[in-house]
Structures are given as C-alpha cells and as structure tokens.
C-alpha cells in the first residue's frame, strides 16, 4: 500500500476518533441535562417547604421536563446523531479500511511506531512478549 493511502486511512481514522470524542461530549450533555432536570425536584420541594409555592410551580411548569430544543429531549438528539451521522461514518471508515488494508486498524500509527522505536531497546519492544522479563 502506498504511503499516501496509509496517510489517507490515518486521516480517516483520526476523523472518526474525533467523532467518537464529539459523541462522548453529546452523551455528557445528555446525562448532565437529565441530571439537572432531576435535581429540579429538590429545588421545587425546598421552594414549597420555604413557603414559595408560586415559584415552585413556575419551576415545575416552565422548566421541569422542558424540551432542550423544540420537540426534542437530549436522548432524541443522541439517537438522531447516532443514526444520521455516527453509524454511517463508522461504517464507511470500516468498509474503506477493509477494502484497502484488510481491516487492519491504526495502520498509520503502527508504521509510525515502527519508525520511531529504537530497535533492541528494552523499553521499545514491538510486542509485549518481546519485552525483557
């Protein structure tokens, strides 16, 4: 395989890894927003206990269970992202890697590792079983 093809697979893999990170942030957004919504129950309870029923009712009516964007809760955003962007991206990356590199992952990084290691150095073995005891 040419160096350019290896670099292209590396760029494609890096882009997918970045998408994985973005997806993780999306799940964090989902979980944090859900946690905040559940924490509002305590705020409502305490407002009522403090004698501020009107404010408690306002929080319940206007904020608890509110859509984060029109028509959507966060889980729907995550599901749509996965279905519309993440899964198709992962599938294309896997298919191209299969076509060009027999499915081998991180080919670019493996070549970089081989080029950057110091052959014979005890801390740079290619495989764990090649490491000194």
């Amino acid at each position: 395989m040419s160096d350019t093809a290896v670099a292209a697979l590396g760029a494609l893999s890096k882009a997918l890894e970045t998408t994985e990170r973005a997806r993780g942030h999306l799940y964090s957004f989902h979980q944090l927003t859900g946690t905040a919504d559940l924490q509002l129950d305590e705020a409502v309870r305490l407002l009522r206990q403090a004698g501020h029923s009107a404010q408690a009712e306002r929080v319940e009516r206007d904020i608890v269970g509110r859509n984060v964007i029109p028509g959507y809760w966060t889980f729907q955003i995550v599901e749509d992202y996965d279905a519309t962007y993440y899964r198709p991206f992962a599938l294309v990356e896997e298919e191209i890697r299969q076509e060009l590199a027999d499915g081998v992952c991180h080919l670019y990084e493996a070549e970089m590792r081989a080029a950057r290691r110091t052959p014979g150095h005890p801390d740079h073995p290619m495989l764990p079983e090649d490491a000194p005891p």
Side-chain angles (χ1 to χ4, degrees):
M1 177 179 309
S2 73
D3 288 345
T4 303
V6 171
L9 287 176
L12 185 59
S13 173
K14 184 175 182 179
L16 180 60
E17 290 171 6
T18 301
T19 300
E20 295 273 6
R21 290 180 59 210
R23 185 174 181 245
H25 289 295
L26 193 56
Y27 273 90
S28 292
F29 162 73
H30 161 61
Q31 291 174 349
L32 290 169
T33 301
T35 298
D37 190 70
L38 293 174
Q39 290 169 339
L40 288 172
D41 294 341
E42 179 69 0
V44 167
R45 185 187 72 74
L46 291 170
L47 283 167
R48 283 201 173 100
Q49 184 179 334
H52 301 290
S53 295
Q55 289 80 7
E57 289 172 23
R58 182 173 180 205
V59 171
E60 270 187 326
R61 180 188 67 237
D62 293 346
I63 306 300
V64 172
R66 186 182 183 97
N67 292 335
V68 295
I69 59 175
Y72 284 88
W73 270 27
T74 58
F75 78 90
Q76 294 167 296
I77 296 168
V78 170
E79 288 175 356
D80 284 356
Y81 180 85
D82 278 353
T84 305
Y85 189 77
Y86 172 73
R87 278 191 234 115
F89 190 156
L91 181 62
V92 166
E93 187 274 341
E94 181 181 3
E95 288 173 350
I96 291 174
R97 189 170 26 84
Q98 193 65 43
E99 292 166 7
L100 300 182
D102 293 324
V104 175
C105 296
H106 297 103
L107 188 59
Y108 180 81
E109 290 88 341
E111 286 189 4
M112 183 181 358
R113 176 181 183 220
R116 294 181 59 81
R117 70 184 281 274
T118 304
H121 191 289
D123 293 331
H124 297 193
M126 283 300 287
L127 299 172
E129 57 268 18
D130 296 334

